[in-house]
Amino acid sequence: MTFIQTNQGECSNPQSSGNPGDWYEGLPPSYVDSAKSPIVFIHGLNSSSRMWWQENDMGDIVHENGFQTAFIDLFPTKDMWENGKLLAEKLKEIYNYFGEKLVLVGHSKGGIDAQTAPVHYNAASYVERIICLSSPHQGAELSDLAYSSWAGWLADIIGVKNAAVYSLQTGYMDYFRNQTDELSSIPIYTLAGTSWGSFGSSLYWGGLYLNSFGANDGAVTVPSSQLTYGTELHVDKWNHFEIRKGSATFTHFSDYLYETTPSIPSYSFHNEEINYDNTADTFLRGGQYKGQAKEFFSVEDNVQELTINWLSNRRISNLMLTSPEAETWSDFVVSKDETTFFNGCWHHTLTLKKPSTGQWTLKAAASEENYLMAVQFNSPLNRVFNMEVGENLELVFPSVRKQAHLLDLKTIKNTIRLEYYDKETHISQETNWEDFGGYFSKKLPKMGEGVYNLTVDIEGKSLQNKRFNRTIVTSVYVDGNGKVIK
């Protein structure tokens, strides 16, 4: 596709430099229909404007349909505030260039940046409406994981801890929604996907991890893509990469690219066949080692399926899984991560049906490695530990009392690792909670306004005297009055 680099006054066929603030006009249509609004395409995390035309037919399809277009580069690793401010400045330029209001189409975090510009940086007069393709409006659980205690070693070494990923933690996004929703007047339309790709593909493990939070596209859940005051246009079997392609989604939002389209949100959600129940199906361990590492996990009774994923900063071949009966497996499927949240790490994945109960061992060997071991269970026990965080920063397990018949409550122990962040501070704190048999909530200490990233490790025994392990990761934002924002 041919482009005109309008902001630098050059006519060329650029391969976008990715320089923040640069924007490009797509090849103008042979006939400009005044009823069709110009479209501005906004990329997401760790990306650039190239994503709209490289291995993507979106640019060609919108041109074939007679739309004027612009493609902009923002900061790939900065938060919505930095990108929203820059975008607002450039939207004024693009508005003046085309001479009419714009429709913004954002992929992933690009949809959040698109909303920030008109709400917080006075760009509302340039924008007709916003269309979001799998944007994590309620936050990204994979961002919570990147900042968790167990995944921190790996996230640091592969360089995925940055302002953008930090701002997408579910707790921080609660804060952003609190600052944004009541001020938002631009109509917003959303699309979401529910496919992860094939086993071992780059989005598969992201989808598996996010499955406990609801239907998802390998990077963002359907519930997170929604806004209560927005209009959900469509949910389909797209993964996080496919949803940005013109051949996949253009026909689902093309009716909203006209000046004559009524900009009245219908407040509608498409909820068919979507699971919204949070469950605790994961056990995590991680860190750094030289030479050899050995991790253990327990499998309780009635586990139907077990998936192990060893995430590493390098591809390794020396992985050995051993069952309680000393049976071994080493045939892990290896793939490179492309989810943007753990971009650059390697996945080593293995799934087993009906694993035996007892203690399992996973050994790894490398000269030096940062890693995260994630074990996921398909088990009736998953729904017991649906943890909630109250407004006074207390952890609550509402289902434990109801399903106590599955557990030996006296054996349950919880270790809570809290990572507190404000603009200049990071404090780590560990709390043990060993009175679970008598109390189903635990109040945590407050250290001021900011993000509280929580990693809760749970261990205990079932009534059949079989050990189990689970890990829950979440984040919350505590405001200046000491209350959790929800």
Side-chain angles (χ1 to χ4, degrees):
M1 185 175 183
T2 302
F3 294 86
I4 303 172
Q5 193 169 340
T6 57
N7 62 322
Q8 294 182 1
E10 300 174 0
C11 295
S12 62
N13 183 13
Q15 296 295 312
S16 167
S17 65
N19 184 46
D22 282 356
W23 62 274
Y24 309 85
E25 181 190 9
L27 183 67
S30 56
Y31 168 72
V32 177
D33 185 344
S34 60
K36 294 180 177 179
S37 298
I39 311 168
V40 180
F41 287 94
I42 304 165
H43 64 82
L45 176 68
N46 292 327
S47 190
S48 74
S49 61
R50 288 191 296 269
M51 60 157 278
W52 296 110
W53 65 82
Q54 287 188 350
E55 299 182 3
N56 190 350
D57 53 9
M58 182 67 82
D60 289 326
I61 286 177
V62 293
H63 174 256
E64 292 167 2
N65 282 271
F67 287 93
Q68 297 171 290
T69 55
F71 302 81
I72 190 168
D73 282 302
L74 299 178
F75 296 105
T77 59
K78 290 193 176 182
D79 61 28
M80 69 286 287
W81 309 111
E82 293 277 355
N83 277 353
K85 182 179 180 180
L86 177 61
L87 179 59
E89 296 170 0
K90 298 304 172 180
L91 288 178
K92 182 178 180 180
E93 292 179 12
I94 300 170
Y95 169 82
N96 289 333
Y97 179 82
F98 288 116
E100 55 185 311
K101 281 192 172 184
L102 312 164
V103 174
L104 310 185
V105 176
H107 174 248
S108 198
K109 181 177 173 290
I112 297 167
D113 296 338
Q115 187 183 23
T116 305
V119 173
H120 295 287
Y121 295 101
N122 303 313
S125 59
Y126 314 130
V127 181
E128 190 74 47
R129 61 185 65 88
I130 301 170
I131 296 169
C132 300
L133 309 177
S134 187
S135 295
H137 294 296
Q138 313 304 327
E141 290 83 2
L142 289 173
S143 290
D144 290 345
L145 182 62
Y147 275 84
S148 69
S149 296
W150 289 123
W153 284 98
L154 179 61
D156 274 333
I157 200 68
I158 63 175
V160 298
K161 282 187 174 180
N162 54 53
V165 174
Y166 175 85
S167 71
L168 291 177
Q169 290 178 90
T170 56
Y172 193 91
M173 286 303 297
D174 285 338
Y175 164 75
F176 176 75
R177 299 259 64 92
N178 183 265
Q179 300 294 308
T180 303
D181 289 349
E182 291 186 0
L183 302 175
S184 184
S185 60
I186 305 295
I188 297 181
Y189 302 85
T190 65
L191 293 91
T194 60
S195 177
W196 318 338
S198 59
F199 180 83
S201 65
S202 60
L203 289 170
Y204 181 84
W205 180 77
L208 186 65
Y209 179 80
L210 292 174
N211 193 47
S212 64
F213 301 97
N216 68 87
D217 64 2
V220 174
T221 67
V222 174
S224 182
S225 74
Q226 299 170 330
L227 287 166
T228 56
Y229 51 86
T231 302
E232 186 176 78
L233 297 180
H234 199 71
V235 176
D236 213 326
K237 293 180 180 179
W238 304 305
N239 65 37
H240 198 64
F241 302 146
E242 292 169 338
I243 200 169
R244 68 192 184 189
K245 293 185 176 181
S247 53
T249 56
F250 177 75
T251 57
H252 295 287
F253 66 80
S254 58
D255 288 344
Y256 298 85
L257 302 175
Y258 294 81
E259 294 179 7
T260 55
T261 302
S263 294
I264 303 175
S266 64
Y267 306 97
S268 61
F269 286 162
H270 177 99
N271 291 327
E272 296 177 11
E273 298 181 0
I274 295 174
N275 171 33
Y276 295 93
D277 295 332
N278 291 356
T279 60
D281 66 353
T282 304
F283 176 65
L284 300 174
R285 284 293 182 269
Q288 184 182 55
Y289 73 90
K290 293 182 180 180
Q292 188 177 87
K294 185 183 292 186
E295 292 288 1
F296 304 94
F297 61 90
S298 297
V299 175
E300 72 271 15
D301 40 312
N302 298 318
V303 174
Q304 298 302 304
E305 187 175 85
L306 181 74
T307 298
I308 300 166
N309 189 31
W310 185 273
L311 288 79
S312 170
N313 62 306
R314 61 179 61 193
R315 180 173 185 155
I316 63 173
S317 56
N318 296 315
L319 271 178
M320 181 69 72
L321 176 68
T322 304
S323 73
E325 296 79 24
E327 188 177 2
T328 61
W329 292 262
S330 60
D331 52 338
F332 288 77
V333 175
V334 182
S335 63
K336 191 80 176 284
D337 188 277
E338 297 177 7
T339 63
T340 71
F341 294 102
F342 284 89
N343 193 9
C345 79
W346 289 87
H347 295 275
H348 308 76
T349 310
L350 178 68
T351 293
L352 300 175
K353 301 286 188 181
K354 295 186 177 180
S356 58
T357 60
Q359 187 181 77
W360 290 64
T361 306
L362 185 58
K363 294 180 181 180
S367 57
E368 185 175 353
E369 184 188 10
N370 290 264
Y371 71 95
L372 173 69
M373 182 188 75
V375 183
Q376 272 147 320
F377 306 87
N378 181 350
S379 167
L381 205 60
N382 293 351
R383 295 189 179 277
V384 176
F385 298 104
N386 59 331
M387 188 185 76
E388 299 175 1
V389 184
E391 67 174 17
N392 291 315
L393 201 58
E394 70 274 9
L395 304 186
V396 181
F397 289 89
S399 294
V400 170
R401 189 187 300 272
K402 297 176 184 178
Q403 302 190 57
H405 62 283
L406 297 174
L407 308 169
D408 181 353
L409 293 179
K410 294 180 181 179
T411 67
I412 297 177
K413 297 181 180 181
N414 301 277
T415 302
I416 305 164
R417 294 174 176 84
L418 187 157
E419 308 291 332
Y420 165 73
Y421 299 88
D422 67 6
K423 292 181 179 180
E424 299 178 353
T425 305
H426 174 208
I427 300 174
S428 297
Q429 188 174 89
E430 183 173 309
T431 301
N432 292 320
W433 179 8
E434 298 186 0
D435 55 356
F436 204 63
Y439 302 93
F440 298 96
S441 65
K442 179 77 169 181
K443 192 170 183 178
L444 301 180
K446 298 172 185 175
M447 288 170 274
E449 182 174 3
V451 176
Y452 292 66
N453 188 292
L454 303 171
T455 301
V456 182
D457 288 311
I458 306 167
E459 63 176 66
K461 293 182 179 180
S462 68
L463 285 183
Q464 286 73 37
N465 201 37
K466 302 298 183 181
R467 289 194 173 276
F468 65 86
N469 312 112
R470 291 296 189 276
T471 304
I472 299 173
V473 174
T474 191
S475 68
V476 296
Y477 193 95
V478 175
D479 66 14
N481 297 317
K483 290 189 176 181
V484 173
I485 293 179
K486 293 188 175 182

